């Protein structure tokens, strides 16, 4: 039996549980559906102003989001639903999430979302859900397209060639640091380690990717 990932906790009792589930789907029409489901529950009963008494385990928040994206992760359609919330008017903001249509998931995504839906312009919990949805979109679409491109190259009998484009994963995390071994091995043209002078705008690109 494997050891737990966290150390044994102190004596405690459960209070609050948030669950976020995200899934990615390939559609028959060539687009991709990225869906998220968020719930918040308490371990105790409590009173709310508009919903009255909520029993333990009753969702205080229950929300769904579906982003339909193309191969470039550009949002083609959005559907947001608030089923459970503390106030009846919470769900009235969901039409504002149509402002995501036309945005591309990638560098600048977080900033663009905050500009359009931050604070009173949106719903805190649905906006928070857009973070893991963006990651799920990338993990759904990119590996499939990369595998299919590799299969086409293999079937053609031609050697794989570097097209010179900046790899999507470059500087996304410490493993794909342009100064690191993984980049030196997989994308030598973009390696900026001690034996290769990197582009002058590499720091700016890294900061943009972090957004």
């Amino acid at each position: 039996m494997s050891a737990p990932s966290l150390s044994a906790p102190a004596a405690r009792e459960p209070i609050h549980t948030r669950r976020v589930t995200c899934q990615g789907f390939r559609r028959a029409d060539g687009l991709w559906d990225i869906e998220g489901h968020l719930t918040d529950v308490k371990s105790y009963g409590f009173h709310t102003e508009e919903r009255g008494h909520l029993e333990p385990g009753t969702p205080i928040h229950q929300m769904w989001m579906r982003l339909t994206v193309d191969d470039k992760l550009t949002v083609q359609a959005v559907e947001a639903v608030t089923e459970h919330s503390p106030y009846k008017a919470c769900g009235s903001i969901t039409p504002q999430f149509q402002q995501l249509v036309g945005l591309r998931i990638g560098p600048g995504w977080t900033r663009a979302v905050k500009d359009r839906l931050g604070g009173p312009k949106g719903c805190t919990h649905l906006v928070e859900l857009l973070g893991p949805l963006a990651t799920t979109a990338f993990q759904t679409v990119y590996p499939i397209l990369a595998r299919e491109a590799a299969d086409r190259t293999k079937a053609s009998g031609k050697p794989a060639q570097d097209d010179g484009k900046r790899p999507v994963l470059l500087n996304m995390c410490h493993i794909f640091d342009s100064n690191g071994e993984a980049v030196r091995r997989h994308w030598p043209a973009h390696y900026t380690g001690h034996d290769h002078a990197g582009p002058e705008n590499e720091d700016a690109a890294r900061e943009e990717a972090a957004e």
Side-chain angles (χ1 to χ4, degrees):
M1 182 176 180
S2 61
S5 57
L6 296 176
S7 61
R12 62 188 186 179
E13 61 176 318
I15 300 297
H16 179 89
T17 300
R18 165 166 287 194
R19 289 189 173 90
V20 175
T21 302
C22 297
Q23 291 182 282
F25 304 88
R26 192 175 204 173
R27 297 171 28 145
D29 61 4
L31 297 176
W32 311 78
D33 280 343
I34 314 299
E35 295 185 358
H37 180 208
L38 178 151
T39 60
D40 282 320
V41 300
K42 304 289 188 185
S43 63
Y44 54 89
F46 62 100
H47 179 80
T48 66
E49 181 180 358
E50 294 191 5
R51 291 173 60 187
H53 182 77
L54 298 183
E55 294 293 334
T58 301
I60 183 68
H61 297 118
Q62 182 159 211
M63 301 167 178
W64 283 265
M65 177 85 73
R66 177 187 294 151
L67 302 179
T68 300
V69 302
D70 62 16
D71 287 355
K72 294 182 179 180
L73 300 187
T74 300
V75 178
Q76 305 296 311
V78 178
E79 185 175 353
V81 174
T82 297
E83 182 172 347
H84 293 113
S85 56
Y87 298 95
K88 295 176 182 178
C90 285
S92 65
I93 199 68
T94 54
Q96 294 301 314
F97 284 79
Q98 296 303 314
Q99 294 183 65
L100 299 173
V101 174
L103 293 182
R104 183 176 179 272
I105 297 173
W109 166 259
T110 300
R111 186 184 305 112
V113 168
K114 288 182 178 179
D115 287 345
R116 290 162 174 77
L117 299 165
K121 294 183 286 187
C123 165
T124 299
H125 309 294
L126 285 171
V127 169
E128 290 173 348
L129 187 55
L130 287 168
L133 277 174
T135 303
T136 302
F138 182 85
Q139 293 182 343
T140 297
V141 176
Y142 179 77
I144 296 297
L145 295 185
R147 184 182 67 187
E148 291 177 349
D151 288 345
R152 288 193 298 270
T153 298
K154 183 177 180 180
S156 71
K158 298 179 181 179
Q161 296 182 345
D162 185 352
D163 60 8
K165 294 182 179 179
R166 186 177 189 275
V168 176
L169 291 173
L170 191 67
N171 289 320
M172 282 291 190
C173 72
H174 74 101
I175 292 298
F176 297 113
D177 186 333
S178 62
N179 295 318
E181 175 61 21
V183 171
R184 186 195 66 78
R185 188 167 62 248
H186 295 292
W187 308 301
H190 298 274
Y191 177 62
T192 59
H194 68 278
D195 58 346
H196 183 80
E200 295 180 355
N201 65 347
E202 193 59 52
D203 288 341
R206 187 178 308 185
E207 292 177 3
E208 183 181 16
E211 294 292 330

